Amino acid sequence: MSTPPDPHRPVSRHWRFTGWLLAAVWLFFLNIPLLTALHQPEVWRRVVGATTLVAFGVCYVCVFQWARACRLAHRPIPLVRAWAALGLLVGLGLAGIPGTDGDWLTTLVFVAAAAVFLLPNRQALVVVALAALTPPVTAALVPGWEAEGTVVFAVLLASFAMFGVTRLTQRNTELQAAQQEIRRLAVAEERARTARDLHDILGHSLTVVTVKAELAGRLLELDPARAAAEIADVERLARQALADVRGTVGAYREVRLTTELAGARSALAAAGIVAELPETVPALPAERDELFGWTVREGVTNVVRHSGARRCEIRVSPGAVEVRDDGRGPVGEPDAAGHGLVGLRERARRLDATVTVGRRPGGRGFLLRVALPAER
């Protein structure tokens, strides 16, 4: 069986590259302040402007990739580090003013987008509002700087777009986690089903093998020919159990009512229990035939193991199957069940069938009944 993927596994190279690309493609909009810096008359202004813008772009991509990796790994983004990263971006934008003049305001678009990606909603909203108000405020306070309406619009648009990206990333992460949990539960259910089947198969087969081996031991001196026949049966049953186990592991095993009735006759006879079995059985759909077969197997196993009965009766109709005996009856609560009955109830539930377990009505003994709804 396959193991479900680890939700905390490292992000693949493909997704790491995609993350860098998603962040880097927007740096194209830094071309306006970069051109302003490269056209400065003084060399030092050109150097300061170009250097700070390059550093700003590198830091923005690194911050975006770091935050994205945290989200993909289901780790919270540390708030102190998020504010420190935003402070670094704002500081680099301000440091480039000698080379970029008023065009440094373009960096606020990236600061606002990073805030939406890094911070909780309310804190991010504060940062976005401050970034949107900065261009008109600075235009009013600094001579020569114009009110950049396009920057304000870009800040709001980029923030809204990043909000959508953030929610999309969050939903995709939740969806992946849900899919991984579904796969994990499916594997667990399949393991439980296989364990139940192995328990039912081996519980029945080994019970019959044990009874026949004990009988052969008692007959060894009294009737060697009969003892040899019982030992041959033990060998046959052991081989059949091995084949059933292999079939279960390979998911090719099939339980049929007629086969289980034949096995029940042999097991009851070996245990010295008189068997009253139907001579013929009605034609049944495949799923119902398999369910009735499991019922006979589980019921006869319990009769041979626990009942102390002298007689066992199996009744089969198109809508129900019963296994009843005249033994000591159930011990403890009537609905108490071991692994076999738990598995039988789960199989019955798939066909909306009811499982009745308890004392035989009107007398001693044990009753196991599986019945389907009348309309089926």
Side-chain angles (χ1 to χ4, degrees), residues 96-122:
I97 290 178
T100 58
D101 295 330
D103 289 332
W104 78 275
L105 294 171
T106 304
T107 60
L108 295 178
V109 177
F110 298 89
V111 172
V116 172
F117 202 73
L118 293 173
L119 300 176
N121 290 340
R122 292 184 179 180

Side-chain angles (χ1 to χ4, degrees), residues 245-303:
V245 170
R246 287 173 174 169
T248 300
V249 174
Y252 298 120
R253 179 187 45 78
E254 184 179 18
V255 173
R256 298 186 62 83
L257 177 59
T258 53
T259 304
E260 295 306 320
L261 286 173
R265 187 183 301 277
S266 174
L268 293 170
I273 300 174
V274 178
E276 297 183 10
L277 308 181
E279 296 296 330
T280 60
V281 295
L284 300 172
E287 290 183 342
R288 189 180 307 183
D289 187 86
E290 181 180 8
L291 174 61
F292 285 6
W294 280 113
T295 305
V296 170
R297 171 173 288 205
E298 177 61 25
V300 171
T301 299
N302 288 335
V303 170

Side-chain angles (χ1 to χ4, degrees), residues 298 302 331 333-343 345 357:
E298 177 61 25
N302 288 335
V331 178
E333 294 295 327
D335 289 335
H339 294 292
L341 289 177
V342 170
R345 284 194 172 98
V357 179

Side-chain angles (χ1 to χ4, degrees), residues 288 291-292 295 317 319-323 335 341-358 367-376:
R288 189 180 307 183
L291 174 61
F292 285 6
T295 305
S317 67
V321 59
E322 287 185 3
V323 180
D335 289 335
L341 289 177
V342 170
L344 182 61
R345 284 194 172 98
E346 293 184 0
R347 293 184 182 94
R349 195 177 299 121
R350 299 186 192 117
L351 298 181
D352 297 327
T354 57
V355 178
T356 304
V357 179
L367 170 67
L368 171 63
R369 174 182 171 85
V370 173
L372 282 93
E375 65 271 12
R376 292 185 69 93

Side-chain angles (χ1 to χ4, degrees), residues 64-315:
F64 181 87
Q65 181 65 5
W66 165 68
R68 182 171 177 271
C70 288
R71 292 182 181 276
L72 290 176
H74 307 282
R75 297 194 308 268
I77 298 175
L79 196 57
V80 174
R81 294 186 181 181
W83 279 107
L86 290 175
L88 177 61
L89 292 176
V90 173
L92 288 172
L94 292 172
I97 290 178
T100 58
D101 295 330
D103 289 332
W104 78 275
L105 294 171
T106 304
T107 60
L108 295 178
V109 177
F110 298 89
V111 172
V116 172
F117 202 73
L118 293 173
L119 300 176
N121 290 340
R122 292 184 179 180
Q123 299 181 26
L125 183 61
V126 172
V127 175
V128 171
L130 292 175
L133 291 174
T134 299
V137 170
T138 54
L141 297 177
V142 180
W145 285 13
E146 298 180 359
E148 292 286 348
T150 55
V151 173
V152 175
F153 177 76
V155 166
L156 297 177
L157 182 61
S159 302
F160 181 78
M162 187 57 70
F163 179 81
V165 170
T166 302
R167 291 298 173 267
L168 180 61
T169 302
Q170 180 180 351
R171 295 295 181 268
N172 286 341
T173 301
E174 293 172 353
L175 178 60
Q176 290 174 359
Q179 291 172 339
Q180 290 161 359
E181 180 66 11
I182 290 172
R183 286 193 289 268
R184 186 191 67 79
L185 292 175
V187 170
E189 175 61 24
E190 181 64 18
R191 287 173 177 169
R193 185 193 65 80
T194 302
R196 289 193 301 268
D197 287 356
L198 288 175
H199 170 272
D200 294 345
I201 289 171
L202 292 180
H204 174 80
S205 300
L206 294 181
T207 296
V208 178
V209 166
T210 301
V211 172
K212 284 185 171 290
E214 291 175 352
L215 178 61
R218 292 196 300 267
L219 294 174
L220 192 59
E221 296 181 358
L222 299 176
D223 190 348
R226 174 79 183 280
E230 295 296 337
I231 291 298
D233 268 353
V234 168
E235 179 183 0
R236 178 184 60 79
L237 288 169
R239 292 181 184 278
Q240 182 62 44
L242 180 60
D244 285 346
V245 170
R246 287 173 174 169
T248 300
V249 174
Y252 298 120
R253 179 187 45 78
E254 184 179 18
V255 173
R256 298 186 62 83
L257 177 59
T258 53
T259 304
E260 295 306 320
L261 286 173
R265 187 183 301 277
S266 174
L268 293 170
I273 300 174
V274 178
E276 297 183 10
L277 308 181
E279 296 296 330
T280 60
V281 295
L284 300 172
E287 290 183 342
R288 189 180 307 183
D289 187 86
E290 181 180 8
L291 174 61
F292 285 6
W294 280 113
T295 305
V296 170
R297 171 173 288 205
E298 177 61 25
V300 171
T301 299
N302 288 335
V303 170
V304 173
R305 278 183 176 178
H306 310 300
S307 70
R310 292 179 297 177
R311 183 179 299 275
C312 176
E313 180 183 358
I314 299 177
R315 297 179 178 178

